[in-house]
Amino acid sequence: MMLTKRRLLLLLLLPFTAQAQPIINSWNVNSNGQKATYYAQTGTAGSPVYTYTVSPDSADVLKLCYTSDSVWIRCQGLSTNMGKYLNPGYCLAQNYTFRFPRNPQAASTHTTSPMGGQIGLLLNGIPIYGLSNANSWTGSTNTPMGLGIWNMEVGKAEGFVLDTSFGAHPQQQGAYHSHTTPYRLYKNVATSTHSPIVGYAFDGYPVYGPYGYSVATNASSAVTRMKTGFAIRNITTRTTLPNGIAASQAGPAVNTTYPLGTYAEDYEWNASNGGDLDKYNGRFCVTPEYPTGTYAYFVTIDAAGKAAFPYYIGFQYYGVVDTKNITAAGQTTTVISFPTSNTTCKYPTTLPIQLKSFTGEINNTNNILSWIVLKELNVKYFIIEKSQDASNFKTLAIVNSKGNSNVEQGYTYNDETPFANNYYRLISVEYDGKETVSNIISLNRKSKGSVSIYPTFANDKIYVKATNLDIKGNLKIYNNIGRQLISSDIDLPKGNDKSINIASLYKGIYFAVIETSNGLKEVVKIFKQ
C-alpha cells in the first residue's frame, strides 16, 4: 500500500517538476541540414541489390515547438545510415507533424494501440509502428482486407526483412518505420547501465531501451534486462481473444500452416509469466532522465538480444493519448499543424533543395539544358555531368547558384559539343559540401529530336514533351518494385506537351518510362507528393 501511495503522489507531482523537460530536450535534432542516407534495395529476385543513397531530404527532427502542455515535432521519417532491409524499396520523405502531451496522465479508459500505422516516434523522427503488418484473417486467408480480428504478428510475418539498425523498413510509399528493436539507439550503452530513451509513445510517456533498474524505484539497484510479461497463449483453437472475450470471427485452426505466434492475438500478458513489465509493456520507475519517477515503456528483447513481442507497447496505451496522431497514421497528409502563436520553438532546420524539373532540348548543333529549383537555400553551385552510356559521367560545367530564394529559380546551360547519344545529370552542391543528385535525362541527336518527362516532383500530373520531332509511343509508370500502374499512348506533334494524370497514385517514388517508334527512350524518377 505504501508503494501505491508513493506512486500516486509522484504521478501527481510530475506536471509541476522539471521532469517534463526530457520530452523537449531528448530529440535528435538536425541543426546543420544533414541529409538522410540509406541503402535502397532494388533487387526483386534472388539476392538483394543495395545502393547507398543520399536523400535530397533532411534527417532526424527538423522542428520542435512546445507550450506548457504540448510538444510538436516535425520530421520526414528519415535518419542517417538507415540499415539494409530486404524488401525492395526506397526511403522517402513523409513530412510528418506529431503532437505529444508534455505532462502525460494515466488513463482511466485505455486507448487501443493501432495494429498498423504509427503508435509513437523514435528520437530521430522515425515512426514506431504497431504489432501487425496490416494483414488479418478474412475467414479463408490473410490480406489487408481482413476484418482486423486476427492480425498477423509483425515479427513473425516480416521480421526477417527488417534492418538491424532500427528494426525497420519502408512500405510501398517509401515510409520508413520501425516495428521491432531500434538497436542503434541503445547498442553503444553497456548492458550494466540503464538504457537511454529511444522514443516517445503518443500518450507522452517515454520509451526506453531494454535495460532498467532491477528495483523499479531504486536508482542504486543493479541494472537488468526488462522482461516482458507477454507469452504465447496455451490454446488449440482461435475462438477467444487475449482478454477472454469470444472473437466475433474465429481464426484459422492452430496447425503447421498457422502455428501459434502467427497472430498478435496468439499472445497474452499474464503476471504469472514473471515479467518485469505490466500489460502495457511498461512500469512506473525512476530513470536517469526522470529521477523522481515516471511511467515508462521499455523495448523488449529475449536473453539472446533478439526482438521479443510486443517490442514497444502492448495492445493498449497506459496514458491518455493524443488521438490525432493515430488518426493521421498511414495518411498522406497530417491532421496536426504547428501552432502559430504562444509557443516556444527550437531548432527550425532549413529544408534541402528540391529540383522541380531538369530537361534538355536539341537546338541545331547544341543541346540546351534547363532546370528549375524550388526554394533554393545554401546552394553554392551546380555541377552538370555528361555521359555517352548513362554510366560513366564526367563534369561538363559548373554553374554558380543565384543565391537563396523562396521562389522558383530557373537555369540554363548550352552544351556546344554534344555526342550523338547524350545523358546528363545535375548535382547541387551546398556550402557545407553536401550534394543532391538529379535524375538522368537523355538527348539522342541521331533522331534530331528528343522527348522529356517533367516535373520530377509532381502532385496530380506529369507532362511529356516532344522537341524537334513528332513522336508516337507509349508511356508506362512503375512503382518501386517494378509493377506497372499506368500505361498511356503518346501521339505528339513536335513542340507540344501531353499531360498524364497521376492523381490516383499514392505519395511515393515511381519510374516513368517512355519509348517511341523512332527509337527515343526516356526514364525519369518521379516523386509523387
Side-chain angles (χ1 to χ4, degrees):
M1 188 67 179
M2 292 298 293
L3 179 60
T4 301
K5 287 182 177 179
R6 181 186 180 210
R7 172 176 174 170
L8 288 173
L9 177 62
L10 288 172
L11 282 171
L12 290 171
L13 288 173
L14 281 175
F16 304 97
T17 70
Q19 292 204 93
Q21 295 310 304
I23 198 170
I24 295 173
N25 299 324
S26 297
W27 300 93
N28 296 347
V29 176
N30 187 334
S31 59
N32 61 5
Q34 175 71 48
K35 299 296 189 296
T37 54
Y38 66 99
Y39 292 88
Q41 207 288 82
T42 55
T44 57
S47 299
V49 178
Y50 292 109
T51 302
Y52 184 75
T53 303
V54 178
S55 171
D57 294 286
S58 294
D60 302 333
V61 171
L62 305 182
K63 185 177 182 180
L64 182 154
C65 294
Y66 59 93
T67 61
S68 60
D69 58 10
S70 297
V71 176
W72 287 261
I73 298 291
R74 182 183 179 277
C75 56
Q76 300 286 22
L78 302 172
S79 190
T80 55
N81 294 315
M82 293 177 281
K84 294 182 178 181
Y85 45 86
L86 289 183
N87 59 288
Y90 299 82
C91 300
L92 304 179
Q94 303 299 312
N95 197 29
Y96 294 124
T97 300
F98 296 109
R99 183 175 61 200
F100 296 84
R102 186 175 173 188
N103 306 302
Q105 301 292 328
S108 56
T109 301
H110 296 275
T111 301
T112 298
S113 172
M115 283 289 169
Q118 299 104 324
I119 62 173
L121 194 65
L122 295 179
L123 294 183
N124 56 11
I126 294 172
I128 302 169
Y129 269 36
L131 295 172
S132 177
N133 68 346
N135 285 263
S136 60
W137 182 248
T138 64
S140 59
T141 189
N142 297 304
T143 75
M145 302 303 292
L147 299 181
I149 298 170
W150 297 95
N151 298 276
M152 293 190 71
E153 197 277 301
V154 70
K156 185 174 181 63
E158 55 185 42
F160 68 97
V161 307
L162 305 178
D163 64 31
T164 57
S165 292
F166 303 108
H169 69 152
Q171 41 82 291
Q172 293 89 334
Q173 286 75 51
Y176 184 79
H177 57 277
S178 174
H179 278 297
T180 60
T181 306
Y183 300 96
R184 215 174 81 194
L185 295 181
Y186 66 82
K187 71 175 184 179
N188 292 326
V189 176
T191 58
S192 58
T193 302
H194 195 290
S195 289
I197 298 172
V198 299
Y200 278 86
F202 286 151
D203 58 4
Y205 286 111
V207 181
Y208 278 85
Y211 293 90
Y213 300 125
S214 56
V215 179
T217 56
N218 183 358
S220 298
S221 63
V223 170
T224 187
R225 174 173 59 91
M226 294 290 97
K227 296 182 288 297
T228 180
F230 282 87
I232 290 180
R233 301 161 65 192
N234 183 20
I235 55 175
T236 56
T237 60
R238 292 186 173 98
T239 55
T240 60
L241 298 174
N243 58 10
I245 296 174
S248 58
Q249 178 203 47
V254 177
N255 53 33
T256 56
T257 304
Y258 302 106
L260 287 174
T262 299
Y263 299 96
E265 292 76 16
D266 289 346
Y267 288 83
E268 67 179 347
W269 181 89
N270 197 303
S272 64
N273 290 330
D276 301 292
L277 307 174
D278 62 20
K279 64 180 180 180
Y280 311 104
N281 213 45
R283 65 177 188 172
F284 182 84
C285 57
V286 297
T287 71
E289 292 79 12
Y290 295 87
T292 60
T294 182
Y295 185 85
Y297 302 100
F298 284 80
V299 169
T300 45
I301 60 175
D302 63 18
K306 296 181 179 179
F309 186 93
Y311 313 114
Y312 288 103
I313 71 176
F315 292 112
Q316 293 178 310
Y317 290 94
Y318 172 78
V320 178
V321 178
D322 191 326
T323 55
K324 283 193 174 182
N325 291 308
I326 297 176
T327 303
Q331 303 299 316
T332 56
T333 57
T334 181
V335 298
I336 297 175
S337 300
F338 273 80
T340 57
S341 61
N342 300 318
T343 59
T344 301
C345 291
K346 300 174 68 175
Y347 315 116
T349 300
T350 299
L351 288 176
I353 185 174
Q354 283 193 347
L355 187 66
K356 180 179 181 181
S357 63
F358 178 41
T359 59
E361 179 179 354
I362 294 174
N363 182 24
N364 297 321
T365 60
N366 300 335
N367 286 348
I368 300 176
L369 306 175
S370 304
W371 62 99
I372 298 174
V373 174
L374 300 174
K375 287 189 176 182
E376 188 173 338
L377 297 168
N378 301 321
V379 176
K380 187 175 183 180
Y381 56 84
F382 298 91
I383 300 174
I384 303 171
E385 293 190 333
K386 179 178 174 182
S387 171
Q388 296 186 74
D389 58 6
S391 178
N392 299 299
F393 283 88
K394 295 183 178 180
T395 298
L396 172 64
I398 293 177
V399 178
N400 289 329
S401 167
K402 294 180 180 180
N404 292 350
S405 174
N406 287 322
V407 298
E408 294 183 3
Q409 296 196 120
Y411 295 82
T412 59
Y413 180 80
N414 188 8
D415 181 7
E416 298 178 348
T417 57
F419 303 124
N421 290 308
N422 301 269
Y423 297 89
Y424 299 95
R425 67 184 182 191
L426 186 70
I427 302 174
S428 62
V429 181
E430 299 176 36
Y431 279 94
D432 60 3
K434 297 184 178 67
E435 298 182 349
T436 302
V437 183
S438 76
N439 58 289
I440 297 171
I441 63 172
S442 63
L443 291 177
N444 184 347
R445 297 189 62 84
K446 291 181 179 179
S447 63
K448 304 297 183 183
S450 68
V451 59
S452 58
I453 303 168
Y454 68 94
T456 53
F457 288 86
N459 290 313
D460 297 326
K461 293 180 180 179
I462 60 173
Y463 297 86
V464 178
K465 182 176 182 179
T467 305
N468 296 333
L469 189 70
D470 297 341
I471 62 169
K472 290 185 178 182
N474 181 265
L475 178 136
K476 292 182 174 64
I477 296 179
Y478 300 88
N479 65 12
N480 59 13
I481 61 172
R483 180 179 299 167
Q484 179 183 310
L485 303 177
I486 292 176
S487 178
S488 178
D489 291 330
I490 304 296
D491 189 351
L492 275 177
K494 62 182 179 182
N496 285 286
D497 294 12
K498 178 180 178 177
S499 65
I500 307 296
N501 191 324
I502 62 170
S504 62
L505 299 179
Y506 290 107
K507 180 180 179 180
I509 190 168
Y510 299 89
F511 295 90
V513 181
I514 185 170
E515 295 187 75
T516 70
S517 58
N518 47 14
L520 297 178
K521 181 176 181 180
E522 177 80 352
V523 180
V524 173
K525 185 186 295 183
I526 301 294
F527 295 87
K528 173 68 164 61
Q529 298 182 313

